[in-house]
Amino acid sequence: IILLTKPFEKLYFILILNTMNKNTLNILLCEENEDLGVIVREYLNSKNYHVDLFTDVKSAMKSFEKNDYAMAVLDVKLFDSFNLIDKMHKQHPDVYILLLLPKAYKLSSERKSIEKEGYLQRPFSVSDLASIIKIKYRNKDKKGSDKVKGMKLEPKNVDTFEIGNYTFEVQRKQLIRDDKSVHLTNKEAELLHILAENANSITNRDIFINKIWNYEGEYYSKSRSMDVYICKLRRYLEKDSKINIVNIHGRGYNLIAPVRKTL
């Protein structure tokens, strides 16, 4: 416990605030949808990040030039081209730029190779964005380097299945329908991947157990656990009547649906 006399109380709290500010990551957010931008800003603020929100490129660029940011999160729809983003890289080479891309937007291979740039495809959750920021900056070394060896914000290749009215992005673990996205758990995504790869044919239960649960004994409990995950997948897919995951008693499961692998 530190007891301070009144003349020093104010100075002490100023020092505390300065320390907090130094430890707070400053982020520029340029998002066309102001309501979404406010939600993202408030969520990141609750995670002890300081976020400056802008809904137009001109204001965002002015702030970027004048202030010290660790990251810029940019809505690509607001930029006519990548010229301004390239200019931002030249102005502040150490700032990491995360691009928010519209659904199905394709970046060129040259763009994906830029070291200080990554992307996040819409629709996304604010928790996904916070996780990317945390991963990007949690492993700074003592010299202040922000490089994270082997870190990939987005997989280079994403296997995609059209399952009825749904789009399933395997590596991103995203199940999308009508611009609404469900983020699947690892086991849910692995299960759905196997079902989609073997759609309209029976897949033996042992294949799921061995690939996902690494079966070594306790077969019954792991089999029951798998049934629970199958029920969750049925709920996720229930809005399309053409899709059905059928339990073939004593054998396994069959995903009955129009399925097409697009990538």
Side-chain angles (χ1 to χ4, degrees):
I1 300 173
I2 300 175
L3 298 177
L4 297 173
T5 57
K6 286 193 174 180
F8 292 98
E9 287 179 354
K10 186 174 182 181
L11 176 60
Y12 176 74
F13 285 111
I14 290 174
L15 289 172
I16 292 294
L17 288 173
N18 285 339
T19 300
M20 290 174 64
N21 288 335
K22 288 180 182 178
N23 292 331
T24 299
L25 199 70
N26 293 320
I27 299 171
L28 180 145
L29 172 61
C30 187
E31 166 60 51
E32 183 180 40
N33 186 329
E34 186 173 6
D35 291 336
L36 175 59
V38 169
I39 292 171
V40 172
R41 182 186 64 190
E42 296 306 311
Y43 184 85
L44 293 180
N45 285 347
S46 72
K47 300 296 182 182
N48 200 34
Y49 301 122
H50 174 79
V51 179
D52 290 334
L53 171 63
F54 302 93
T55 57
D56 65 283
V57 173
K58 186 176 181 180
S59 300
M61 290 295 293
K62 284 184 179 179
S63 183
F64 185 81
E65 291 169 3
K66 295 178 181 178
N67 295 290
D68 183 20
Y69 292 107
M71 177 182 280
V73 182
L74 309 178
D75 182 353
V76 169
K77 291 185 297 182
L78 290 173
F79 293 82
D80 294 331
S81 68
F82 286 101
N83 292 337
L84 283 178
I85 297 174
D86 292 335
K87 181 181 177 182
M88 294 170 77
H89 280 299
K90 291 178 181 178
Q91 288 174 339
H92 297 289
D94 292 332
V95 176
Y96 194 90
I97 296 179
L98 183 65
L99 307 177
L100 302 179
L101 304 181
K103 180 184 176 183
Y105 188 97
K106 301 297 182 183
L107 284 176
S108 66
S109 57
E110 292 81 7
R111 198 77 216 174
K112 290 180 181 180
S113 66
I114 296 176
E115 182 182 358
K116 289 287 184 176
E117 191 172 288
Y119 65 94
L120 185 61
Q121 208 93 29
R122 297 176 188 270
F124 64 89
S125 70
V126 289
S127 60
D128 288 339
L129 177 57
S131 295
I132 288 174
I133 296 170
K134 183 178 179 181
I135 291 170
K136 187 72 184 73
Y137 290 96
R138 70 184 175 186
N139 292 329
K140 286 188 177 182
D141 61 26
K142 293 180 181 179
K143 294 181 180 180
S145 172
D146 62 355
K147 291 184 179 179
V148 182
K149 293 183 179 179
M151 188 198 69
K152 300 294 182 183
L153 296 182
E154 282 285 335
K156 288 184 177 180
N157 299 311
V158 178
D159 295 324
T160 304
F161 290 86
E162 300 295 336
I163 305 175
N165 294 327
Y166 292 83
T167 299
F168 174 41
E169 296 177 344
V170 179
Q171 285 78 9
R172 295 193 185 109
K173 295 177 284 189
Q174 297 285 337
L175 186 61
I176 304 164
R177 182 178 183 271
D178 296 335
D179 293 329
K180 293 182 180 179
S181 174
V182 174
H183 187 78
L184 304 177
T185 65
N186 289 336
K187 285 187 171 60
E188 289 168 352
E190 289 170 352
L191 271 170
L192 186 55
H193 188 196
I194 295 172
L195 287 168
E197 286 278 16
N198 300 279
N200 301 302
S201 62
I202 300 171
T203 305
N204 192 283
R205 297 177 72 90
D206 290 346
I207 292 175
F208 297 106
I209 296 294
N210 291 330
K211 285 188 176 181
I212 301 173
W213 278 268
N214 298 317
Y215 168 61
E216 290 181 3
E218 299 181 2
Y219 182 90
Y220 179 80
S221 63
K222 291 178 180 179
S223 181
R224 294 302 95 198
S225 176
M226 183 180 70
D227 292 338
V228 172
Y229 283 102
I230 289 289
C231 288
K232 289 182 179 180
L233 290 179
R234 286 188 179 120
R235 287 199 295 270
Y236 296 147
L237 298 164
E238 65 184 2
K239 291 186 178 179
D240 188 338
S241 60
K242 298 188 296 295
I243 300 174
N244 192 14
I245 303 177
V246 179
N247 180 11
I248 310 300
H249 183 70
R251 296 182 63 187
Y253 287 100
N254 186 0
L255 172 62
I256 301 174
V259 176
R260 182 172 67 92
K261 189 173 182 179
T262 57
L263 282 177

